[in-house]
Amino acid sequence: NCESLTNIEISESNKTFVVINNILYDKKEKMLHTCFSKKTNVVIPNDILKINNSAFERCSNLTSISIPNTVTTLGESAFSSCTAWRVVLPNSLKYIGKNALYNTFTYNLDRSWTDNVLYIENYLIKCKETNNVSSYSIKEGTTVIADAAFESITSLSSVNIPNSITHIGNKAFYNCQDIVSINIPKNIES
């Protein structure tokens, strides 16, 4: 919550961290750590694998971000409250943290939701807690279920997961007290 911070400098001899255009990167883990300014446009370098927890949280001016296909992980709340950003994701994601895209322009747009479920490209992001569905079939072609996607959908009793799913996020079905059946295909990697 350093909203007044506009600049950070790291010694050029630092072996772990580097700052490029006021964005802190971890060179060893190939991770984007934090954005330190009120940017409107960001281009992430092609060697980055992970966008850290809360990296762009509350960057409400952010309207455009280019995420390369090398990125496999969006951390928890990575883009939370980037209210102006129309989400565009790479095809390479294998993990989407809880609330990674919460309160973005796309998240808040009613037409982004189908039957109270938010899909962005081939990723299932969230099912609204107001959803009273008892049985749900995830759309064919979906590859990732985000962390806590179905959290606290207490009416849910069964889920059909298509063969296209390769990754199910942590606590994806947490507190789904009535769930009695989940079909998990053979392709699940994590």
Side-chain angles (χ1 to χ4, degrees):
N1 290 351
C2 302
E3 293 183 18
S4 298
L5 183 64
T6 58
N7 188 38
I8 188 167
E9 294 181 24
I10 304 276
S11 169
E12 288 184 23
S13 61
N14 188 300
K15 294 179 181 177
T16 304
F17 296 105
V18 64
V19 173
I20 303 169
N21 296 323
N22 281 337
I23 298 176
L24 178 65
Y25 295 93
D26 183 319
K27 294 187 271 190
K28 290 181 180 178
E29 293 190 31
K30 298 185 184 259
M31 176 172 48
L32 186 154
H33 246 287
T34 307
C35 180
F36 288 103
S37 66
K38 298 181 190 264
K39 293 183 164 292
T40 57
N41 299 302
V42 172
V43 176
I44 297 174
N46 286 329
D47 62 340
I48 298 302
L49 304 176
K50 178 180 181 180
I51 298 175
N52 200 23
N53 297 347
S54 303
F56 291 93
E57 187 173 17
R58 285 183 262 147
C59 288
S60 58
N61 295 333
L62 187 63
T63 58
S64 172
I65 183 161
S66 176
I67 304 173
N69 274 323
T70 54
V71 173
T72 59
T73 301
L74 294 185
E76 184 172 320
S77 299
F79 295 98
S80 182
S81 296
C82 291
T83 54
W85 184 42
R86 295 175 189 252
V87 179
V88 178
L89 299 174
N91 293 327
S92 54
L93 293 178
K94 295 182 179 184
Y95 176 82
I96 300 172
K98 182 178 181 179
N99 294 324
L101 302 167
Y102 175 74
N103 201 24
T104 58
F105 180 86
T106 304
Y107 188 99
N108 293 331
L109 194 61
D110 285 339
R111 70 173 183 244
S112 297
W113 295 78
T114 303
D115 297 325
N116 289 321
V117 179
L118 176 63
Y119 288 90
I120 297 178
E121 292 148 27
N122 54 334
Y123 307 113
L124 191 155
I125 306 301
K126 184 71 178 162
C127 179
K128 287 185 180 178
E129 289 180 27
T130 57
N131 198 339
N132 290 322
V133 66
S134 61
S135 179
Y136 189 76
S137 292
I138 295 170
K139 289 192 323 190
E140 185 62 49
T142 303
T143 58
V144 174
I145 301 171
D147 279 6
F150 289 92
E151 182 178 12
S152 297
I153 307 300
T154 55
S155 63
L156 192 62
S157 61
S158 68
V159 178
N160 184 31
I161 300 174
N163 288 329
S164 58
I165 294 283
T166 56
H167 299 277
I168 299 174
N170 298 324
K171 297 185 177 183
F173 301 98
Y174 180 74
N175 202 25
C176 293
Q177 299 166 345
D178 288 345
I179 205 155
V180 293
S181 173
I182 297 179
N183 169 32
I184 298 178
K186 64 182 178 183
N187 300 337
I188 301 297
E189 297 172 19
S190 64

mmCIF file of all heavy atoms in Angstrom, residues 72-104:
data_model
loop_
_atom_site.group_PDB
_atom_site.id
_atom_site.type_symbol
_atom_site.label_atom_id
_atom_site.label_comp_id
_atom_site.label_asym_id
_atom_site.label_seq_id
_atom_site.Cartn_x
_atom_site.Cartn_y
_atom_site.Cartn_z
ATOM 1 N N THR A 72 2.957 -18.593 -16.849
ATOM 2 C CA THR A 72 2.130 -19.755 -16.512
ATOM 3 C C THR A 72 1.325 -19.536 -15.240
ATOM 4 O O THR A 72 0.403 -20.292 -14.966
ATOM 5 C CB THR A 72 2.988 -21.017 -16.326
ATOM 6 O OG1 THR A 72 3.931 -20.789 -15.274
ATOM 7 C CG2 THR A 72 3.711 -21.392 -17.620
ATOM 8 N N THR A 73 1.671 -18.491 -14.466
ATOM 9 C CA THR A 73 1.056 -18.292 -13.155
ATOM 10 C C THR A 73 0.625 -16.848 -12.938
ATOM 11 O O THR A 73 1.427 -15.931 -13.132
ATOM 12 C CB THR A 73 2.050 -18.680 -12.042
ATOM 13 O OG1 THR A 73 2.422 -20.036 -12.198
ATOM 14 C CG2 THR A 73 1.461 -18.463 -10.663
ATOM 15 N N LEU A 74 -0.640 -16.673 -12.524
ATOM 16 C CA LEU A 74 -1.120 -15.380 -12.024
ATOM 17 C C LEU A 74 -1.353 -15.574 -10.535
ATOM 18 O O LEU A 74 -2.206 -16.375 -10.134
ATOM 19 C CB LEU A 74 -2.446 -14.973 -12.679
ATOM 20 C CG LEU A 74 -2.472 -14.674 -14.163
ATOM 21 C CD1 LEU A 74 -3.857 -14.186 -14.564
ATOM 22 C CD2 LEU A 74 -1.423 -13.666 -14.549
ATOM 23 N N GLY A 75 -0.630 -14.852 -9.705
ATOM 24 C CA GLY A 75 -0.770 -14.982 -8.261
ATOM 25 C C GLY A 75 -2.078 -14.411 -7.740
ATOM 26 O O GLY A 75 -2.812 -13.717 -8.446
ATOM 27 N N GLU A 76 -2.350 -14.710 -6.480
ATOM 28 C CA GLU A 76 -3.559 -14.222 -5.820
ATOM 29 C C GLU A 76 -3.646 -12.703 -5.898
ATOM 30 O O GLU A 76 -2.655 -12.011 -5.647
ATOM 31 C CB GLU A 76 -3.548 -14.665 -4.355
ATOM 32 C CG GLU A 76 -4.794 -14.312 -3.600
ATOM 33 C CD GLU A 76 -4.831 -14.937 -2.211
ATOM 34 O OE1 GLU A 76 -4.429 -16.095 -2.056
ATOM 35 O OE2 GLU A 76 -5.267 -14.228 -1.283
ATOM 36 N N SER A 77 -4.782 -12.195 -6.291
ATOM 37 C CA SER A 77 -5.063 -10.755 -6.411
ATOM 38 C C SER A 77 -4.090 -10.025 -7.343
ATOM 39 O O SER A 77 -3.908 -8.820 -7.236
ATOM 40 C CB SER A 77 -5.065 -10.088 -5.025
ATOM 41 O OG SER A 77 -6.059 -10.648 -4.209
ATOM 42 N N ALA A 78 -3.481 -10.744 -8.275
ATOM 43 C CA ALA A 78 -2.464 -10.153 -9.163
ATOM 44 C C ALA A 78 -2.953 -8.891 -9.864
ATOM 45 O O ALA A 78 -2.216 -7.912 -9.979
ATOM 46 C CB ALA A 78 -1.997 -11.173 -10.195
ATOM 47 N N PHE A 79 -4.196 -8.894 -10.329
ATOM 48 C CA PHE A 79 -4.761 -7.739 -11.029
ATOM 49 C C PHE A 79 -6.031 -7.230 -10.354
ATOM 50 O O PHE A 79 -6.809 -6.499 -10.959
ATOM 51 C CB PHE A 79 -5.062 -8.096 -12.485
ATOM 52 C CG PHE A 79 -3.841 -8.414 -13.296
ATOM 53 C CD1 PHE A 79 -3.463 -9.726 -13.516
ATOM 54 C CD2 PHE A 79 -3.057 -7.396 -13.806
ATOM 55 C CE1 PHE A 79 -2.330 -10.026 -14.254
ATOM 56 C CE2 PHE A 79 -1.916 -7.684 -14.541
ATOM 57 C CZ PHE A 79 -1.553 -9.002 -14.762
ATOM 58 N N SER A 80 -6.235 -7.602 -9.126
ATOM 59 C CA SER A 80 -7.442 -7.218 -8.401
ATOM 60 C C SER A 80 -7.609 -5.702 -8.381
ATOM 61 O O SER A 80 -6.664 -4.963 -8.118
ATOM 62 C CB SER A 80 -7.371 -7.752 -6.966
ATOM 63 O OG SER A 80 -8.535 -7.430 -6.254
ATOM 64 N N SER A 81 -8.797 -5.256 -8.724
ATOM 65 C CA SER A 81 -9.170 -3.835 -8.739
ATOM 66 C C SER A 81 -8.436 -3.016 -9.798
ATOM 67 O O SER A 81 -8.268 -1.814 -9.654
ATOM 68 C CB SER A 81 -9.018 -3.206 -7.353
ATOM 69 O OG SER A 81 -9.923 -3.823 -6.455
ATOM 70 N N CYS A 82 -8.029 -3.668 -10.872
ATOM 71 C CA CYS A 82 -7.561 -2.950 -12.062
ATOM 72 C C CYS A 82 -8.823 -2.676 -12.880
ATOM 73 O O CYS A 82 -9.089 -3.328 -13.893
ATOM 74 C CB CYS A 82 -6.553 -3.787 -12.847
ATOM 75 S SG CYS A 82 -4.986 -4.015 -12.012
ATOM 76 N N THR A 83 -9.603 -1.736 -12.423
ATOM 77 C CA THR A 83 -10.972 -1.535 -12.889
ATOM 78 C C THR A 83 -11.094 -1.109 -14.349
ATOM 79 O O THR A 83 -12.157 -1.245 -14.943
ATOM 80 C CB THR A 83 -11.698 -0.515 -12.001
ATOM 81 O OG1 THR A 83 -10.920 0.687 -11.948
ATOM 82 C CG2 THR A 83 -11.889 -1.060 -10.592
ATOM 83 N N ALA A 84 -10.030 -0.600 -14.940
ATOM 84 C CA ALA A 84 -10.098 -0.148 -16.333
ATOM 85 C C ALA A 84 -9.601 -1.210 -17.318
ATOM 86 O O ALA A 84 -9.746 -1.046 -18.526
ATOM 87 C CB ALA A 84 -9.283 1.130 -16.505
ATOM 88 N N TRP A 85 -9.025 -2.301 -16.806
ATOM 89 C CA TRP A 85 -8.400 -3.295 -17.682
ATOM 90 C C TRP A 85 -9.406 -4.292 -18.228
ATOM 91 O O TRP A 85 -10.094 -4.988 -17.495
ATOM 92 C CB TRP A 85 -7.295 -4.033 -16.938
ATOM 93 C CG TRP A 85 -6.536 -5.012 -17.781
ATOM 94 C CD1 TRP A 85 -6.104 -4.828 -19.063
ATOM 95 C CD2 TRP A 85 -6.140 -6.328 -17.406
ATOM 96 N NE1 TRP A 85 -5.451 -5.945 -19.506
ATOM 97 C CE2 TRP A 85 -5.456 -6.884 -18.508
ATOM 98 C CE3 TRP A 85 -6.287 -7.090 -16.253
ATOM 99 C CZ2 TRP A 85 -4.910 -8.159 -18.495
ATOM 100 C CZ3 TRP A 85 -5.752 -8.359 -16.241
ATOM 101 C CH2 TRP A 85 -5.063 -8.890 -17.342
ATOM 102 N N ARG A 86 -9.474 -4.351 -19.563
ATOM 103 C CA ARG A 86 -10.254 -5.377 -20.255
ATOM 104 C C ARG A 86 -9.325 -6.576 -20.406
ATOM 105 O O ARG A 86 -8.397 -6.549 -21.211
ATOM 106 C CB ARG A 86 -10.723 -4.885 -21.621
ATOM 107 C CG ARG A 86 -11.694 -3.738 -21.516
ATOM 108 C CD ARG A 86 -12.032 -3.207 -22.902
ATOM 109 N NE ARG A 86 -12.782 -1.986 -22.818
ATOM 110 C CZ ARG A 86 -14.072 -1.894 -23.102
ATOM 111 N NH1 ARG A 86 -14.741 -2.940 -23.497
ATOM 112 N NH2 ARG A 86 -14.682 -0.736 -22.985
ATOM 113 N N VAL A 87 -9.582 -7.598 -19.644
ATOM 114 C CA VAL A 87 -8.664 -8.722 -19.480
ATOM 115 C C VAL A 87 -8.421 -9.474 -20.788
ATOM 116 O O VAL A 87 -9.352 -9.867 -21.481
ATOM 117 C CB VAL A 87 -9.203 -9.701 -18.419
ATOM 118 C CG1 VAL A 87 -8.262 -10.894 -18.244
ATOM 119 C CG2 VAL A 87 -9.419 -8.978 -17.090
ATOM 120 N N VAL A 88 -7.144 -9.650 -21.094
ATOM 121 C CA VAL A 88 -6.697 -10.488 -22.194
ATOM 122 C C VAL A 88 -5.592 -11.367 -21.610
ATOM 123 O O VAL A 88 -4.600 -10.861 -21.087
ATOM 124 C CB VAL A 88 -6.140 -9.663 -23.373
ATOM 125 C CG1 VAL A 88 -5.632 -10.569 -24.480
ATOM 126 C CG2 VAL A 88 -7.203 -8.707 -23.904
ATOM 127 N N LEU A 89 -5.778 -12.681 -21.684
ATOM 128 C CA LEU A 89 -4.838 -13.609 -21.059
ATOM 129 C C LEU A 89 -4.120 -14.449 -22.110
ATOM 130 O O LEU A 89 -4.696 -14.772 -23.153
ATOM 131 C CB LEU A 89 -5.586 -14.537 -20.090
ATOM 132 C CG LEU A 89 -6.298 -13.842 -18.930
ATOM 133 C CD1 LEU A 89 -7.111 -14.846 -18.127
ATOM 134 C CD2 LEU A 89 -5.308 -13.119 -18.034
ATOM 135 N N PRO A 90 -2.875 -14.857 -21.807
ATOM 136 C CA PRO A 90 -2.161 -15.736 -22.730
ATOM 137 C C PRO A 90 -2.709 -17.168 -22.640
ATOM 138 O O PRO A 90 -3.374 -17.522 -21.667
ATOM 139 C CB PRO A 90 -0.717 -15.669 -22.218
ATOM 140 C CG PRO A 90 -0.863 -15.439 -20.751
ATOM 141 C CD PRO A 90 -2.077 -14.536 -20.616
ATOM 142 N N ASN A 91 -2.393 -17.990 -23.613
ATOM 143 C CA ASN A 91 -2.844 -19.389 -23.625
ATOM 144 C C ASN A 91 -2.014 -20.286 -22.720
ATOM 145 O O ASN A 91 -2.321 -21.464 -22.581
ATOM 146 C CB ASN A 91 -2.783 -19.955 -25.051
ATOM 147 C CG ASN A 91 -3.787 -19.279 -25.946
ATOM 148 O OD1 ASN A 91 -4.853 -18.885 -25.506
ATOM 149 N ND2 ASN A 91 -3.439 -19.130 -27.212
ATOM 150 N N SER A 92 -0.976 -19.750 -22.108
ATOM 151 C CA SER A 92 -0.004 -20.549 -21.365
ATOM 152 C C SER A 92 -0.316 -20.754 -19.882
ATOM 153 O O SER A 92 0.386 -21.485 -19.197
ATOM 154 C CB SER A 92 1.366 -19.872 -21.481
ATOM 155 O OG SER A 92 1.259 -18.506 -21.060
ATOM 156 N N LEU A 93 -1.368 -20.134 -19.363
ATOM 157 C CA LEU A 93 -1.622 -20.195 -17.921
ATOM 158 C C LEU A 93 -1.967 -21.603 -17.443
ATOM 159 O O LEU A 93 -2.738 -22.318 -18.066
ATOM 160 C CB LEU A 93 -2.754 -19.239 -17.540
ATOM 161 C CG LEU A 93 -2.462 -17.755 -17.693
ATOM 162 C CD1 LEU A 93 -3.694 -16.939 -17.320
ATOM 163 C CD2 LEU A 93 -1.272 -17.333 -16.863
ATOM 164 N N LYS A 94 -1.364 -21.950 -16.289
ATOM 165 C CA LYS A 94 -1.646 -23.223 -15.630
ATOM 166 C C LYS A 94 -2.176 -23.009 -14.225
ATOM 167 O O LYS A 94 -2.679 -23.938 -13.607
ATOM 168 C CB LYS A 94 -0.382 -24.075 -15.580
ATOM 169 C CG LYS A 94 0.099 -24.488 -16.951
ATOM 170 C CD LYS A 94 1.317 -25.356 -16.880
ATOM 171 C CE LYS A 94 1.721 -25.761 -18.292
ATOM 172 N NZ LYS A 94 2.829 -26.684 -18.291
ATOM 173 N N TYR A 95 -2.028 -21.804 -13.725
ATOM 174 C CA TYR A 95 -2.477 -21.498 -12.359
ATOM 175 C C TYR A 95 -2.995 -20.064 -12.310
ATOM 176 O O TYR A 95 -2.312 -19.139 -12.768
ATOM 177 C CB TYR A 95 -1.313 -21.664 -11.369
ATOM 178 C CG TYR A 95 -1.680 -21.265 -9.970
ATOM 179 C CD1 TYR A 95 -2.362 -22.138 -9.133
ATOM 180 C CD2 TYR A 95 -1.366 -19.999 -9.488
ATOM 181 C CE1 TYR A 95 -2.718 -21.761 -7.848
ATOM 182 C CE2 TYR A 95 -1.718 -19.615 -8.202
ATOM 183 C CZ TYR A 95 -2.391 -20.496 -7.392
ATOM 184 O OH TYR A 95 -2.751 -20.125 -6.124
ATOM 185 N N ILE A 96 -4.191 -19.896 -11.744
ATOM 186 C CA ILE A 96 -4.773 -18.566 -11.556
ATOM 187 C C ILE A 96 -5.182 -18.475 -10.093
ATOM 188 O O ILE A 96 -6.066 -19.206 -9.638
ATOM 189 C CB ILE A 96 -5.987 -18.343 -12.483
ATOM 190 C CG1 ILE A 96 -5.561 -18.481 -13.957
ATOM 191 C CG2 ILE A 96 -6.610 -16.962 -12.222
ATOM 192 C CD1 ILE A 96 -6.708 -18.466 -14.938
ATOM 193 N N GLY A 97 -4.527 -17.594 -9.349
ATOM 194 C CA GLY A 97 -4.781 -17.452 -7.922
ATOM 195 C C GLY A 97 -6.138 -16.839 -7.611
ATOM 196 O O GLY A 97 -6.775 -16.219 -8.466
ATOM 197 N N LYS A 98 -6.555 -17.032 -6.369
ATOM 198 C CA LYS A 98 -7.833 -16.499 -5.898
ATOM 199 C C LYS A 98 -7.875 -14.984 -6.112
ATOM 200 O O LYS A 98 -6.920 -14.281 -5.800
ATOM 201 C CB LYS A 98 -8.017 -16.822 -4.418
ATOM 202 C CG LYS A 98 -9.331 -16.353 -3.838
ATOM 203 C CD LYS A 98 -9.466 -16.763 -2.378
ATOM 204 C CE LYS A 98 -10.802 -16.321 -1.814
ATOM 205 N NZ LYS A 98 -10.957 -16.742 -0.399
ATOM 206 N N ASN A 99 -8.968 -14.507 -6.653
ATOM 207 C CA ASN A 99 -9.203 -13.081 -6.896
ATOM 208 C C ASN A 99 -8.163 -12.426 -7.811
ATOM 209 O O ASN A 99 -8.010 -11.208 -7.797
ATOM 210 C CB ASN A 99 -9.292 -12.306 -5.574
ATOM 211 C CG ASN A 99 -10.503 -12.698 -4.773
ATOM 212 O OD1 ASN A 99 -11.565 -12.967 -5.321
ATOM 213 N ND2 ASN A 99 -10.355 -12.743 -3.458
ATOM 214 N N ALA A 100 -7.476 -13.213 -8.611
ATOM 215 C CA ALA A 100 -6.450 -12.660 -9.507
ATOM 216 C C ALA A 100 -7.020 -11.608 -10.447
ATOM 217 O O ALA A 100 -6.340 -10.648 -10.808
ATOM 218 C CB ALA A 100 -5.781 -13.770 -10.309
ATOM 219 N N LEU A 101 -8.285 -11.777 -10.831
ATOM 220 C CA LEU A 101 -8.905 -10.861 -11.792
ATOM 221 C C LEU A 101 -10.135 -10.171 -11.211
ATOM 222 O O LEU A 101 -10.930 -9.583 -11.940
ATOM 223 C CB LEU A 101 -9.269 -11.630 -13.065
ATOM 224 C CG LEU A 101 -8.073 -12.313 -13.731
ATOM 225 C CD1 LEU A 101 -8.515 -13.300 -14.769
ATOM 226 C CD2 LEU A 101 -7.113 -11.296 -14.300
ATOM 227 N N TYR A 102 -10.268 -10.219 -9.900
ATOM 228 C CA TYR A 102 -11.411 -9.622 -9.216
ATOM 229 C C TYR A 102 -11.475 -8.110 -9.453
ATOM 230 O O TYR A 102 -10.461 -7.421 -9.403
ATOM 231 C CB TYR A 102 -11.324 -9.905 -7.714
ATOM 232 C CG TYR A 102 -12.410 -9.227 -6.913
ATOM 233 C CD1 TYR A 102 -13.716 -9.695 -6.933
ATOM 234 C CD2 TYR A 102 -12.123 -8.093 -6.157
ATOM 235 C CE1 TYR A 102 -14.716 -9.062 -6.215
ATOM 236 C CE2 TYR A 102 -13.118 -7.459 -5.432
ATOM 237 C CZ TYR A 102 -14.410 -7.940 -5.465
ATOM 238 O OH TYR A 102 -15.396 -7.301 -4.760
ATOM 239 N N ASN A 103 -12.661 -7.617 -9.731
ATOM 240 C CA ASN A 103 -12.918 -6.186 -9.880
ATOM 241 C C ASN A 103 -12.143 -5.542 -11.037
ATOM 242 O O ASN A 103 -11.839 -4.360 -11.010
ATOM 243 C CB ASN A 103 -12.635 -5.446 -8.557
ATOM 244 C CG ASN A 103 -13.353 -4.114 -8.486
ATOM 245 O OD1 ASN A 103 -14.360 -3.890 -9.138
ATOM 246 N ND2 ASN A 103 -12.810 -3.217 -7.692
ATOM 247 N N THR A 104 -11.833 -6.343 -12.057
ATOM 248 C CA THR A 104 -11.303 -5.762 -13.297
ATOM 249 C C THR A 104 -12.499 -5.336 -14.145
ATOM 250 O O THR A 104 -13.639 -5.686 -13.851
ATOM 251 C CB THR A 104 -10.470 -6.798 -14.086
ATOM 252 O OG1 THR A 104 -11.298 -7.926 -14.377
ATOM 253 C CG2 THR A 104 -9.231 -7.221 -13.327
#
